[in-house]
Amino acid sequence: MTRGPLFHEQTARQRIAAVVDRGSFDELLPPPERLTSPYLAQLGIPVSFDDGVVIGRARIGGKKVYLAAQVGQFVGGAVGEIHGAKLTGLFKAAARDRVPCVLIVESGGVRLHEGSAGEIAIAETMRAIFECRALKVPTIAVIGTDIGAYGGIGILSTCCDFRVMTEHGRLGISGPIVIEKWMGKKAYDSSNRALVWKTSGGKTKYLLGDAEALVHDDAGAVREAIGKLLAKSSPVTLKNVKARQKDLEKRLKRFGKTGDPDDVWKGMGVRDVARASLASGPEFAAMAKAGRR
Amino acid sequence: MRTAETGARRRNKMERLERVGRLARGKFVAAKDVPAVLKRIIEPGDILCLEGDNQKQADFLANALASLDKKDLRDIHLVMSCITLPAHIELFKKGMIRQVDFCYAGPQGTAVADLVKARKFPVGAIHTYNELFGRFYVDLTPRVALVAATQADRKGNLYLEANTEDTPAVIEPTAFSDGIVFAQVNKIVDRLPRIDIPADQVDFVVEAPYPMHLQALFTRDPAAITEVQVLMAMVALRGIYEKYEVQSLNHGVGFNTAAIELLLPTYGERLGLKGKICKHWVVNPLPTMIPAIESGWVESVFAFGGEVGMERYTAARSDVFFTGRDGGFHSNRPMGQLAGLYGIDMFIGASLQIDINGNSSTVSTSRITGFGGAPNMGCQPTGRRHPTKAWLKAGAEANPGPGSSPGRKLVVQMVETFQAGRVPTFVEELDAAEPSIRKALHGVTPVMIYGDDVTHIVTEEGIANLAACRSVAERQAAIRAVAGYTPVGLKRNKRQTAELRARGIVQLPEDVGVRPSEASRSLLATQDIKGLVRWSKGLYDPPAQFVDW
Amino acid sequence: MEKFTKAFPSKPLKTTAGKPWALAGVVGSGNLEVLVERGGRPSDAMECHIETSIPGYKASWLAALADFAHHYPAGGTKVTINDQGAPPVLVTLRLRQAYDHLVKGSK
């Protein structure tokens, strides 16, 4: 049972190296440029040469892509001014050059120490993403760690055409602790990790159609999923938006009242919840598919 | 001169039982009557044993004791394995305790240190488990023992399930010396799955309103193992396990040894060590051993206690674990400690502090923890006579004199040079040697394992073979050589280190065939708890706080 | 935060091939990033710039870096470190990883 490094344990740079064609990555604004956050430095917080996001050009399966990977360990992957500007610039370049853009997400959202800059950058990046979508340039978010995609980055991830997730990935807007703080422990116990993953984890998101692929916790599997999605796009049309709205209304009607995430799993066709909980991503996807038949 | 009066002790027991009278129906006491019964069966001056170790606790009885007034409970000589619960501390705060003899105070270590400072902790001695169990038969025999069991039947037979632990060691000396044994149980049933303690040895039983507290003490989440710990584990595997062909062993509870367990089916397999090492274990049912067991590395495991969530797994692997006729897991702390003392090739564990002579301790002025069982296993038992390959090889290196044993048990300390927050592990003098601590302990420094007993120290810098050192000065130099960049390590002499390395007394990772750049978490058989459940084929039920699926 | 700079004597880098720079590690709790670049001066010293979040451990930093410069030919490199409380063993490990990437050009 020896295997390669798990995707969720790799660093941002290792993930990029393992996902793209061997040696094809060309980093933009690399560490020797020393573009570090002046705000963190003023506050006496350690800075990082890439400010928590690595961006550049590469190829996947021979196809040109633009690629960004956030560094979750560095202030929670949070978006500050430089981090945000790198993201915005990359997606703008993707639209300009008509090159698909992949974001390997690992971020709790905006960096509190430089909040306004982060907020604006996330909004500008969303605009660039929609520019890409209008041009049918595919945008893909990969969410494969427990830091996941939250806050502004949670929203930004759902703006992309597609989301690739693993069972370790989490996607949401407010984090579990924030939900508990506002709604009470009875409504949402953030220390109940099983509950947290059953509500925001990759398996549930895939089941509900919020993620298009649920893959092994492995860079090779992520690469394969990205490769398949690079040729597609999900245009923002009135018809698509209306259909999505209808879908969400249906979901609310079906599951809006339940307090048990297992009900959602069962309702979506998972017959054996205990077995499905332990299944790998692809096994889970197969079980859900079989159950829906 | 004292004249022998026949049966006085037995008569005194009868008097106590009579005082209880109708508060008990036969052996059975209602939960609400427990404080009243305790008042009647305990007398001032008694040696009282309150069962509680690092895992299971007679917590209902402890809480009932702590609810009494000092006028009802005073001048007590408390003997117990572990001071674990707030209720235990309460007894001291209320001034009920005349003397305490114990082994370990892990979770209450800070509270105990505070009690010592306030002079409210009249300690007799801190013991190792087997020492205290031994003294139960010598000069610390309990008059009253308050114990915990899973179930009792209508006759008062007890079922201890996976957590036998200290219970027989507490009950036997009490029951066979006219003492009173009072058991709290989770449930009273008509028929027990198996009888662990016969009703003959039990005086009172209460069905507690809540199940006894069980601590998941040995669950180590593989996700928290660092790449430095993986490196150390690789060094230990090559430099010690492989070198001495260690067949039988005990592992501590830390992440260092968890890393070794998880490397066996991967790195260990690659080194061709399967079947050559790590066959017989004296250790609790560690969840991180599941991959090695599933891969066929392990022939037997005997345990001091159970581990929460391992019940179904151990029952299903009855070829490896000791199980009862009911099919369930069985443990026994004194027998486990005995096995660990005499029966194994190696003890390997971690420590908070190691001094320049190789003495280790987990005690500081702000936290008094004690010993538990590590010194029983981490020592050289000169009463050992049976040879094994590892024992003879380690013995030969130690160059025994004409009047000493030809063998040595491998006693290995495995530590990172710095603890969390850059606190150095290696120090010139132990915090435990502080005068106020020594005074409270009647002049004894609470040393966990003495330097003379240690054969090897493993750090991320390499291995120091202390047994092979020929002088105190040489041993100190060997320790400095693996103490890295701590103040102790910075004082090393480069030439002397090179000389020790040439003699194989100090070995760097590359000297035992380990390249530090190879150390990676991806070498572990699994990287998280979910992986352990998958390895166990769904038989392991981890505690809720570890479940994220 | 504590900052310091020091050059350690080291034999010149053997190759001129490989990458112009290499980075190992990430800035996170108990971790650090190490950037190693070619083109430092002079060619018989490893020039180090350290920024660490835990002050008071200069002696152990200097000893660890001096040992590295002594064991590996790293003359003519510039080493820049952003540290968030990594233990010395990680300093050595990351330096080694970055150094290997630099001279072998491997990722």
Side-chain angles (χ1 to χ4, degrees), chain B residues 51 56 147-148 160 163-172 197:
Chain B
E51 185 179 14
K56 80 166 175 180
V147 302
L160 303 172
N163 298 82
T164 306
E165 298 171 18
D166 306 7
T167 315
V170 169
I171 289 179
E172 189 181 287
I197 303 285

Side-chain angles (χ1 to χ4, degrees), chain A residues 1-6 8-9 167-168 191-195 197-198 203 217 265 274 277-281 283, chain B residues 221-223 265-266 270 520-528 530-531 533-535 538 544-549:
Chain A
M1 279 178 92
T2 320
R3 52 186 170 191
L6 300 175
H8 87 272
E9 297 214 338
E167 59 179 306
H168 289 276
S191 68
N192 182 343
R193 295 171 68 196
L195 172 74
W197 255 267
K198 277 243 169 77
K203 284 178 176 172
D217 182 22
W265 279 31
S277 298
L278 277 177
S280 72
E283 281 164 12
Chain B
D221 187 346
T266 53
R270 230 167 57 204
S520 155
R521 279 179 41 80
S522 58
L523 287 173
L524 300 172
T526 183
Q527 282 74 17
D528 51 29
K530 193 194 261 179
V533 178
R534 285 172 175 154
W535 267 100
Q545 69 265 32
F546 292 100
V547 174
D548 62 4
W549 57 89

Side-chain angles (χ1 to χ4, degrees), chain A residues 55 208 251 272:
Chain A
I55 63 167
L208 292 171
R251 189 194 295 182
D272 184 344

